[in-house]
Amino acid sequence: MSGKLTLRTLCITLGVIAVTACQHAPKEQNANQANVQTDFETVFEKGTLNSVSIPYEKYTLDNGLTVILHEDHSDPLVHVDVTYHVGSAREDLGKSGFAHFFEHMMFQGSKHVADEQHFKVITESGGNLNGTTNTDRTNYFETVPANQLEKVLWLESDRMGYLLEAVDQTKFENQRETVKNERAQRVDNQPYGLRFELNGEALYPEGHPYSWMTIGYVEDLDRVNVNDLKAFFKRWYGPNNAVLTIGGDIDVAKTKAWVEKYFGEIPTGPKVEEPKPQPVTLNETRYMTLEDNVHLPLLQITYPTVYGRHEDEAPLDVLADILGGGKTSLFYKNLVKEGLAVQAVVSHPCRELACEFQLVALANPAKITSLATLQNVLNETLKEFETRGVTADDLARTKGQIEARTVFGLQSVAGKVSALAANETFYQTPDLIADDIARYNAVTAEDVMRVYNKYIKDANSVVLSVVPKGQVQLAAAEQTFERPVRNIDVDTLEVADEEAFTSAPSSFDRSVMPKAGEAPVVEVPDYWEAELANGIEVLGVTSTETPTVTLTLGMDGGMLLDPKGKAGTAYLTALLMNETTENYSNEELASELAKLGSAIRFSTAGRYSQVYVSTLTKHLNETLALLKEKLFNPAFTQEDFDRMKERVLQGLQQQAKTPSSIARRARDLVLFGEENRVSLPDEGTLETVQNITLEDVKAFYANYYSPDKASIVVVGNLPKKAMVKTLDFVGQWKGESYDFADYSEFPQYNENQIFLVDSPEAVQSVVYIVDRSLPFDATGDHFKSRLMNFPLGGAFNSRINLNLREDKGFTYGANSGFVGGKTLGWFESSTDLTAANTGEGIQEILNEIERYRTQGVYEDEIAFMRNAFTLSDALEFETPTSKARFLRQLLSYGLDKGYREEQLNIINNIDKKTIDALAKQYLNLDKMQIIVVGDKAKVLPQLNALSMPIIELSVESNTRETLN
């Protein structure tokens, strides 16, 4: 849950295997901010962070609503979070998924807010918004320019106190379909997507609040009615079960007055008792097997443990980090480094009622013929830990990472507000930063061994094997636990009756939306420029909000420099740059970085190879010394090469099972043709990666890891002179100049065609509709086309999304946009459609594009776009990452600071005639190509009805067969 500091390892990206892992004029700080900055400086001198805090004020309205306010005037924005203490754990048996379903309904309008207007109002205000549901809470949040705060409070209060009169059967049915589409996209049509459901059913007894997933079962969603939903709202959505947290550039007195005005007269809801923890135990080890559309077998072992903020939670988190938290872990040493697993992680996810200790490993089929073998290695690794024990370095790494994560977590208002909201909801104490730091710093080696012996050693667990379909013999053991049969007696389920609902009277006219205050003055970051001795250009922003430094070194070329027939060389080279160096082993480097709380990561994406560095400023010199070692002294050992190459190959084979990955590959092939490197994934293909040798990697490094086309962006609290001085070693870097070839000829299309990739048994079809278009420009037709597309498919309230998601219920979401890079660009509309509505959904997208081209844009759509693009600047440059992104764009495209003013002028003056002309020119409907990844047997008859040529495509071999 958000707001608590843990040492959880990063979740493994299943399905697509992750083989790599607006600034304004400064304002005067208030007293609280000054104290925070002083605290940072003081505690850094002492080597502890125990006194760091998030300043806040907390009070409660007469109706029970808890309000938390946090002032932060560093950027002209505010973040509002309303958290209700209700998640799927408070659902009734047989009515799973209701909390999440209700989250969707909260965006469908309320008594004084029209249907779909919540998204429109916030987007038009220059903000962003969303809602999330988990087992224990549901929250709704918005980040907006500071002058829009009253409007947000009006919206949130209206759906808290005046929702039910706007809820009807039509909205209910529509959102039921949307939720079912979401489940299909994220669970049923996703490799490994069902493992969470199976694990919950086996780990928790039937009826336990965690025995079903938050998204619920489809049959439960199908049986409830709109009256059940209304009853759920009245039971759980009272102000006394909510926390309203507001942070950012606020006037406290004015904010309090608004809170009282909009929320104070909402009646108190039914009394809500705090839930009691419900940790579980197992009287046996339960083996389960899931046959899935996967290439890599997966083993997941789950032990039940404690509950959130139990005294043993912190030691268990530390134990998880020691066992499987990156390259310093035993799992990395014994499984990943030995090539037995593509990935192996250990985590200890904790929730309000119960926690789980999870061991997860993706087997390497080239080395492992049975998950039983992998389980044996896991068991031996646990025994090794018993003998090895906990070292001083283990605890030092823990504390280093805690310190860094704490500081980096304070970089955004949203991060601070989320922490305050979650901690108040679950623990009635908004600021737990110091407490969390203290409890993790207090963990001893004895504590870690104690919890290992108590919860893990010889303990019963759930052992889940996920194997390719038809290969049950790969499972760790024969299945001993069958999924419980859900015998829901429908006749005994309490069915809510329709009853009249009248909201409380209001002392003012709530139908009048508050006007925004005076727009904040937003300026682009005041950046500095420098040039190192070897010509590398540096752009930097000095930001004193947190004592951190974020730096990226980019080298132009990336995958475009891959040797012919060896696509993936740039990608594999970057992976090797993260491995052993001449003077450090993998483990030694990882350990040093962890103790500093720093990160150094090499990657290749598109036309850039990049190095990312983040660190606390006090550790900058030590971190840059490690960067120097990694950049200039890679070892490129055969062992590392073989392991990383095998990892890439196995990841590619898994991607071939993932519909979304297949669709992107098909899109690129159709757009750019097989003769161009850009038509292939960054990683290459199974065939091309097989061709790459260690010598190829060494040659790529020697030729292209060069200052010739390199540049640096940096954001930190050091002034220009000090920052440039620390980069002197990069300025001494020598390297040859290089060039790369132009593209080959691209495919030309004179008619619409459908490219179908068969994905047997897929419950959804992944669809792309594409056409090559303009590369990036900041103020030309590409930029103007993005403005033109916004009403069509660039926002939640766009025509395409409202049609397919809200009106038809065919998808969880649909969009369109113009994508532009340095030299290439294209138009795409994409969505995941229900299999039964694939043909109809495609036709609806084409119809929307045709209507937009022929009938043109409406004036209110232009106003919507104009406000969304101009008012959002307040959110553009808040964090170091966003500032760095802005600087990188300046460097990549040779832009100057003034381009933003020119863009603003274009946005404010573009008219209907211009937008209509752009639509006709760049929405080339007759040349658009349609890619469908779905079950051929289900969708082919529907596609035939579209009366277009249909070509069956194999993305791996690029073979094509005409089907009609």
Side-chain angles (χ1 to χ4, degrees), residues 362-383:
L362 274 171
N364 179 359
K367 294 281 187 76
I368 292 290
T369 57
S370 169
L371 289 176
T373 304
L374 201 59
Q375 186 177 11
N376 289 335
V377 178
L378 294 183
N379 290 334
E380 290 302 316
T381 301
L382 294 179
K383 291 178 182 177

Side-chain angles (χ1 to χ4, degrees), residues 647-656 681 683-686 689:
R647 186 177 173 186
V648 171
L649 289 169
Q650 296 298 338
L652 287 168
Q653 291 185 73
Q654 180 54 50
Q655 289 183 29
E683 303 96 313
T685 68
L686 289 170
V689 174

Side-chain angles (χ1 to χ4, degrees), residues 57-87:
E57 179 180 349
K58 169 184 166 181
Y59 63 100
T60 304
L61 300 186
D62 291 342
N63 58 11
L65 177 67
T66 300
V67 183
I68 301 169
L69 305 179
H70 164 66
E71 275 190 275
D72 180 348
H73 299 288
S74 57
D75 291 278
L77 56 85
V78 292
H79 185 82
V80 177
D81 179 291
V82 182
T83 296
Y84 296 88
H85 197 174
V86 56

Side-chain angles (χ1 to χ4, degrees), residues 167-174 176 224-227 230:
V167 172
D168 58 31
Q169 190 67 32
T170 300
K171 292 180 181 179
F172 176 83
E173 295 293 350
N174 175 271
R176 172 153 53 193
V224 295
N225 63 38
V226 68
N227 297 320
K230 291 180 178 180

Side-chain angles (χ1 to χ4, degrees), residues 734-783:
K734 305 296 182 184
E736 299 298 320
S737 61
Y738 60 88
D739 293 296
F740 35 95
D742 201 358
Y743 304 109
S744 300
E745 188 175 345
F746 296 130
Q748 300 298 317
Y749 303 104
N750 298 313
E751 63 176 350
N752 302 127
Q753 298 174 107
I754 299 172
F755 292 86
L756 173 61
V757 183
D758 189 19
S759 180
E761 300 182 32
V763 298
Q764 286 185 315
S765 300
V766 184
V767 173
Y768 278 93
I769 300 176
V770 300
D771 180 42
R772 280 194 311 280
S773 193
L774 299 167
F776 174 88
D777 61 55
T779 56
D781 274 8
H782 171 78
F783 175 71

Side-chain angles (χ1 to χ4, degrees), residues 431-634:
D431 180 21
L432 287 170
I433 284 186
D435 184 71
D436 275 320
I437 293 170
R439 68 188 180 114
Y440 281 96
N441 278 340
V443 172
T444 64
E446 291 74 22
D447 290 329
V448 177
M449 294 308 300
R450 175 180 56 78
V451 297
Y452 170 79
N453 288 320
K454 182 175 181 179
Y455 300 102
I456 311 302
K457 182 179 180 180
D458 299 327
N460 293 318
S461 62
V462 173
V463 181
L464 174 63
S465 300
V466 184
V467 300
K469 290 183 178 180
Q471 299 184 47
V472 179
Q473 73 279 5
L474 298 180
E478 187 175 345
Q479 183 157 304
T480 63
F481 180 82
E482 297 293 334
R483 294 186 71 175
V485 178
R486 301 188 73 244
N487 292 317
I488 305 297
D489 188 345
V490 179
D491 294 332
T492 63
L493 284 180
E494 185 177 339
V495 179
D497 296 322
E498 185 174 3
E499 58 181 276
F501 176 83
T502 304
S503 54
S506 182
S507 59
F508 62 97
D509 187 355
R510 286 181 175 266
S511 65
V512 178
M513 182 169 64
K515 295 184 181 298
E518 184 179 351
V521 176
V522 180
E523 297 179 5
V524 298
D526 184 15
Y527 62 89
W528 49 261
E529 302 175 72
E531 185 176 295
L532 302 184
N534 54 7
I536 291 180
E537 189 175 0
V538 184
L539 291 188
V541 169
T542 300
S543 173
T544 59
E545 290 180 33
T546 55
T548 60
V549 173
T550 301
L551 177 152
T552 60
L553 164 67
M555 295 165 282
D556 199 0
M559 70 176 185
L560 298 180
L561 298 167
D562 282 346
K564 190 171 181 60
K566 296 185 177 183
T569 303
Y571 188 87
L572 198 49
T573 302
L575 291 184
L576 267 292
M577 294 295 292
N578 291 308
E579 301 300 304
T580 310
T581 68
E582 293 178 2
N583 300 300
Y584 287 85
S585 69
N586 251 327
E587 294 82 355
E588 289 169 340
L589 279 167
S591 181
E592 291 304 310
L593 286 169
K595 285 187 283 188
L596 297 172
S598 303
I600 300 174
R601 184 168 61 251
F602 288 74
S603 63
T604 294
R607 64 177 292 145
Y608 285 95
S609 292
Q610 184 168 279
V611 192
Y612 168 83
V613 180
S614 68
T615 182
L616 300 176
T617 307
K618 66 173 184 173
H619 293 317
L620 178 62
N621 289 334
E622 301 102 303
T623 303
L624 291 183
L626 294 173
L627 171 64
K628 182 177 181 180
E629 172 68 18
K630 291 172 73 70
L631 182 60
F632 298 144
N633 300 312

